Amino acid sequence: MREETDLAASRSGRGPEHDVDPIDVPGFVEAIVGAIDVRDVEALRGLVADLHETDLARLLEALPASERPRMIELLGSDFDFTALTELDETVRVQILQELSTQTVVEGLRDLDSDDAVYILEDLDEAEKQEILAQLPIPERATLQRSLDFPEESAGRRMQTEFIALPPFWTVGQALDYIGETDGLPEVFFEVFVVNPTFRLSGSVPLDRLLRTKRGVKIGEVVTADRHVVNVTDDQEDVARVFERYNLISAPVVDEAGRLVGVLTVDDIVDVIQEEADEDLKALGGVAGDEELSDSFWYIARSRFTWLFLNLIAANLASFVISMFEDELQKMVALAVLMPIVASQGGNAGTQTMTVAVRALATRELRTSNAGRIIARELLVGLFNGVVFAVIMAVVVFARFGVADLGFVIALAMIINLVAAALGGILIPLTLNRFKIDPAVSSGPFVTTITDVVGFFAFLGIASLWFQT
Amino acid sequence: MREETDLAASRSGRGPEHDVDPIDVPGFVEAIVGAIDVRDVEALRGLVADLHETDLARLLEALPASERPRMIELLGSDFDFTALTELDETVRVQILQELSTQTVVEGLRDLDSDDAVYILEDLDEAEKQEILAQLPIPERATLQRSLDFPEESAGRRMQTEFIALPPFWTVGQALDYIGETDGLPEVFFEVFVVNPTFRLSGSVPLDRLLRTKRGVKIGEVVTADRHVVNVTDDQEDVARVFERYNLISAPVVDEAGRLVGVLTVDDIVDVIQEEADEDLKALGGVAGDEELSDSFWYIARSRFTWLFLNLIAANLASFVISMFEDELQKMVALAVLMPIVASQGGNAGTQTMTVAVRALATRELRTSNAGRIIARELLVGLFNGVVFAVIMAVVVFARFGVADLGFVIALAMIINLVAAALGGILIPLTLNRFKIDPAVSSGPFVTTITDVVGFFAFLGIASLWFQT
């Protein structure tokens, strides 16, 4: 009995499925490659039969690139195209380009509309049209309409399969309809109530439907959805609403208020993950779409851009240093100490910037509380500036025996940590105001400020102080 | 008609609810404070009546600290304690400490077990016990059991309200039971099937239940859950499974395989968000639990720790520089140029580290592909090292007219970018191997390496080159 097996697994402490990862079983990938090479369809089917679509995707990624389309063609209708939605974009596009159009068309027909759109949207226009042309007209029209919405909009992510009922039906009629109709969405959590022109008036969750007497009219148990999504809403904004209000699914309406689709939380989980991923990478100076499976060449070029910007910033800082060549010549200790001031500033600025960028992304930092946060960051910068000023004054005196040098580094440290705090919060806020993604662009500005201010303050104060 | 209003909103292009944020309406917070101050309960009730629990939480955060518990006490049973789960921890603990135990006990009784545990777990042991002691025994026992599981485990996050049925019931019996029983979970997506000793044998999703003939036995439509969670599983691991396999809910079992709770995706969304948040902050040198509402003093101290580590690293780099005081004295251009080499290395190292840390967190980077990724990062480092070496050689020659100096900086640049790539990938991998969170600890190591190698390579090569 299948249930018993599963139970035995958890009883024996092996834990959930993720502990026994089929793809990581030694020899599994090799067995797949072997079966593909001898075109042993039976063996191949047996090996992948129990794989979840996600594991099927991970298997594809683990295969050599040339074997991927071959495996799909061999499996034919036994290959679940949903797996393609779980692939890194690079791998997905590569596979789609090598598969025959016939295979892609047949694979797409089995999918929910949101998955089909997700697979199609990365292809170039010609390939997309070639595939769409071979789909039956109703399916083609649905997909085409979703593809006409902007990228990363709710219209692209929504599923166009849903259950919509008129308010005068009874709960019993609704339950019978659900029970007896074929072709309903694979998974659904609520039924929607629409008027004759398909304008949305609300929804009834499945569990409420079950707990209502059969004779009651749907119109009496419907609740207006508090969170209706517009087709053109950005997926990131939609994700925030799902997250904030713990939604499981939400209706999507067009400009006329007509129900056109539904968004479910499992798609939103991917959006949340993607957006967090992009911010995290952007702050580290990496392109948001860089994936682990990307080629050396793609990554080298994309990282180059950011490093090149940094090189310009570093040369600017170097130019500031060169303004004080005479002082450096006279007192080599300045050269030894100056990177400490710049480095502390850079790190303090990054701390503030990280918090600001994240709070902007989660919409926690708003106009109403920006003043308070700026003031707090300034205070933190001043406080830590003073503490590190004292520490470095002592260290420098102990190391070089020159009290004046300790005073100079202390003053420069305070100035740079305050500048870091200001830059760290004001730069993301300003970029955000001008609709520039603060996660992507704040870093170079902040470090340029802390480098330039750090070197200039330290060497400038030293040159004034020791001149007299 | 309420539906029409909602519809009108989307028709007129105002979009979903998040565009008309009640908390941001000018004068709203002031009106609340006014009502609290004159103890006008009726006015207060009217103002908050339509707020979603999440907006109620945001209102609490917008109020002065002293008004928060006063508002809750005034609202009495009209205040939905679920709102407390949406607060920043600092604010939640402050409120709970000021509320009377009586109010907290009554508020908790209305909640699902997972929400009650979430609120209780941050309190100190004495407060927790005081509250638990006043709860009725069955509720107390349930909460106590959840609280006995480790922090951040599935047992803490799970809801203990679920529907469990024997396999010999018919679908009709199940539907009638759901329709007629009070006290069932507020929202559920599947019913579970258990044997007489409450061992889990599988589940039936609600939609499948609806589409099956009433006479069919539950045991015939049950599917074994492929993803059973153990109570002691870490919430981050559980979140990965939900995300990877697009789960909506999953059963939680104890060591004996007995069903003890259910985890739903809305809780998991918060976990995903939290974990991404922690990694992002950690990479920026900020404590994972730092929240926008934290006090100046808490933040100053928590940021200090990281900056202090950085200060030690910066002093180490400064020590390396001081080994070359003679060379710096003889050729001040070295002091002007050395930060460029260190800075490029630091940024390249951060890029690699960011990608590695994220890939480890999402479990994309595994033993099986680590070799390939290390090789690729090395190649990228070497490639960008050579490109920036050529650029800087030209810049330095143009600026100082000394070809030899260009050669020295070029060589140092290549060495440091390769070191950055190696450090950026090997340090996170090593920390991860020793079960140390790479997001928190990689940064200081990586920048220390790139600073030390950068200064040492540049000044060292210069000293060898110009000695002869």
Side-chain angles (χ1 to χ4, degrees), chain A residues 331-349:
Chain A
M331 194 187 264
V332 78
L334 296 178
V336 172
L337 292 172
M338 64 183 189
I340 298 178
V341 180
S343 162
Q344 282 300 89
N347 280 282

Side-chain angles (χ1 to χ4, degrees), chain B residues 358-377:
Chain B
R358 189 62 185 155
L360 282 169
T362 57
R363 316 282 190 268
E364 281 179 276
L365 182 53
R366 293 186 306 271
T367 323
S368 56
N369 60 1
R372 191 175 67 81
I373 305 296
I374 295 172
R376 193 194 60 188
E377 289 299 325

Side-chain angles (χ1 to χ4, degrees), chain A residues 3 7 16 50 54-55 188 200-201 211 226 228 244-245 273 277 285 303 310 344 351 358 377, chain B residues 3 7 16 50 54-55 188 200-201 211 225-226 228 244-245 273 277 285 303 310 344 351 358 377:
Chain A
E3 292 82 36
L7 209 58
D50 279 338
T54 306
D55 292 323
F188 58 96
L200 177 70
S201 54
R211 287 191 222 161
R226 292 167 68 119
V228 178
R244 181 178 284 175
Y245 299 104
Q273 190 68 38
D277 217 60
R303 304 244 185 110
N310 183 64
Q344 282 300 89
Q351 288 181 327
R358 189 62 185 156
E377 288 299 325
Chain B
E3 291 80 36
L7 208 58
D50 278 339
T54 305
D55 292 323
F188 57 94
L200 176 70
S201 56
R211 288 191 220 159
D225 291 278
R226 291 166 69 117
V228 178
R244 184 180 283 174
Y245 298 105
Q273 190 69 36
D277 217 59
R303 302 243 186 111
N310 183 64
Q344 282 299 91
Q351 288 182 328
R358 189 62 185 155
E377 289 299 325

Side-chain angles (χ1 to χ4, degrees), chain A residues 184-248:
Chain A
L184 292 180
E186 265 186 54
V187 180
F188 58 96
F189 310 104
E190 53 190 357
V191 300
F192 297 104
V193 182
V194 293
N195 75 8
T197 58
F198 239 74
R199 289 224 170 102
L200 177 70
S201 54
S203 64
V204 186
L206 270 199
D207 53 302
R208 193 192 305 152
L209 209 57
L210 282 175
R211 287 191 222 161
T212 308
K213 298 251 171 299
R214 287 181 63 91
V216 176
K217 287 238 176 1
I218 290 282
E220 293 171 44
V221 288
V222 69
T223 340
D225 291 278
R226 292 167 68 119
H227 307 286
V228 178
V229 175
N230 280 323
V231 266
T232 51
D233 284 347
D234 184 80
Q235 61 175 8
E236 189 170 358
D237 293 326
V238 176
R240 293 286 158 230
V241 175
F242 263 75
E243 192 191 338
R244 181 178 284 175
Y245 299 104
N246 300 321
L247 306 182
I248 295 295

Side-chain angles (χ1 to χ4, degrees), chain B residues 277-457:
Chain B
D277 217 59
E278 276 178 28
D279 282 357
L280 187 143
K281 285 182 182 155
L283 283 170
V286 178
D289 63 351
E290 185 180 312
E291 289 166 346
L292 212 61
S293 54
D294 283 340
S295 68
F296 151 73
W297 183 232
Y298 180 84
I299 288 187
R301 272 182 309 172
S302 104
R303 302 243 186 111
F304 173 83
T305 315
W306 206 82
L307 288 177
F308 188 73
L309 282 180
N310 183 64
L311 191 74
I312 295 173
N315 274 284
L316 192 66
S318 160
F319 174 75
V320 170
I321 298 173
S322 71
M323 290 161 55
F324 301 96
E325 284 190 359
D326 293 348
E327 285 76 15
L328 287 165
Q329 195 109 46
K330 273 185 271 169
M331 193 186 262
V332 78
L334 296 179
V336 172
L337 292 172
M338 65 184 186
I340 298 178
V341 179
S343 163
Q344 282 299 91
N347 280 283
T350 303
Q351 288 182 328
T352 302
M353 176 188 81
T354 302
V355 171
V357 163
R358 189 62 185 155
L360 282 169
T362 57
R363 316 282 190 268
E364 281 179 276
L365 182 53
R366 293 186 306 271
T367 323
S368 56
N369 60 1
R372 191 175 67 81
I373 305 296
I374 295 172
R376 193 194 60 188
E377 289 299 325
L378 250 176
L379 261 179
V380 170
L382 187 64
F383 175 82
N384 276 332
V386 170
V387 175
F388 288 114
V390 172
I391 296 176
M392 278 316 295
V394 173
V395 169
V396 165
F397 181 68
R399 204 167 145 192
F400 296 91
V402 187
D404 286 15
L405 200 53
F407 176 77
V408 170
I409 201 170
L411 202 56
M413 190 70 92
I414 296 174
I415 292 174
N416 204 23
L417 261 65
V418 169
L422 275 180
I425 181 96
L426 293 181
I427 287 170
L429 279 173
T430 309
L431 290 171
N432 193 56
R433 173 66 59 93
F434 289 105
K435 310 268 175 215
I436 303 169
D437 186 352
V440 175
S441 312
S442 298
F445 286 108
V446 172
T447 46
T448 304
I449 285 183
T450 55
D451 273 3
V452 167
V453 171
F455 292 129
F456 190 81

